[in-house]
Amino acid sequence: MTRSLLKERQVRVSTRVLTEEIEPRIVHHPSDVVVKLGKPAALSCRVDGSPKPTIEWLRNGQPLGTETGDGQVQPMVLSEGSLFFLNVGGGRLGQSYEGVYACVARNSAGKAISRNASLYIAASFLDQVGLMNVFSDRLTERPDKDDVTLDPVR
C-alpha cells in the first residue's frame, strides 16, 4: 500500500463513531385524562434509548390504529411520542376513544412499556345537573343507616 492510501484508511477508521445500544426507558409516563366529548386531548410519553426508540400506543391492550383511509379523524403520535386526539368522540358510528392506554417504546436493544393511563370522557356540566335532577326526588335516607338509596320507579 502506498503511504497516502494507508493514511486515508487510518483517518476513516479513526473517525468511525461507535454507538452503544441502550434499551428504551420510559422517562415520563402518561397520566389519566378527563376531557369533554368532542374536545381535543393528549396523553404524553417520553422515552430515552439508543438508537432512538419508536413509539406505539396500546388501547385496552391492543395496538391503536393511527392511520385510516376512510376519512375518520384518528389519534396521532407526535414526534416526541405523545398521543394527540383532535376529537375524543362524537364521530361517525359513535366512535369514542375512552379507554386504558399505554405507550410501548422499541429499538434494537429492547422494549419498554409505560404505566397505564385512562382517558375518560366527561359528560357536560348541564348533562350531569340534568341527570341529578331526574334522580334527586328518588333519593331517600334511611333513618337507621347512613346509606343513600334509590326508590324504585312506580
Side-chain angles (χ1 to χ4, degrees):
M1 270 196 208
T2 66
R3 187 180 277 281
S4 63
L5 185 58
L6 181 59
K7 191 173 189 179
E8 183 179 325
R9 179 173 280 197
Q10 287 173 342
V11 169
R12 285 184 187 162
V13 170
S14 65
T15 59
R16 188 180 313 165
V17 177
L18 299 176
T19 58
E20 180 182 0
E21 287 191 352
I22 301 169
E23 66 183 52
R25 180 176 66 95
I26 309 292
V27 294
H28 179 81
H29 291 266
S31 300
D32 293 349
V33 175
V34 178
V35 65
K36 286 184 180 180
L37 183 67
K39 298 295 182 184
L43 293 168
S44 48
C45 182
R46 302 281 193 295
V47 300
D48 277 341
S50 180
K52 182 181 178 181
T54 59
I55 294 182
E56 172 188 35
W57 282 85
L58 305 177
R59 177 177 175 253
N60 300 328
Q62 300 299 313
L64 178 67
T66 55
E67 293 183 21
T68 184
D70 64 2
Q72 288 284 82
V73 175
Q74 296 289 318
M76 297 174 276
V77 179
L78 303 178
S79 61
E80 83 284 351
S82 294
L83 185 63
F84 178 74
F85 302 84
L86 186 59
N87 179 336
V88 292
R92 283 190 296 169
L93 307 174
Q95 182 181 27
S96 169
Y97 290 108
E98 195 167 52
V100 178
Y101 290 82
C103 75
V104 180
R106 286 188 175 88
N107 68 11
S108 56
K111 80 175 184 178
I113 302 174
S114 73
R115 291 189 292 263
N116 288 340
S118 293
L119 175 69
Y120 299 103
I121 299 175
S124 72
F125 179 73
L126 292 176
D127 289 342
Q128 291 174 9
V129 170
L131 192 58
M132 288 303 293
N133 287 339
V134 168
F135 290 109
S136 64
D137 61 340
R138 306 253 187 258
L139 293 173
T140 60
E141 191 172 324
R142 295 181 188 170
D144 60 337
K145 293 186 178 182
D146 292 330
D147 296 347
V148 174
T149 60
L150 290 175
D151 287 339
V153 177
R154 295 177 189 148

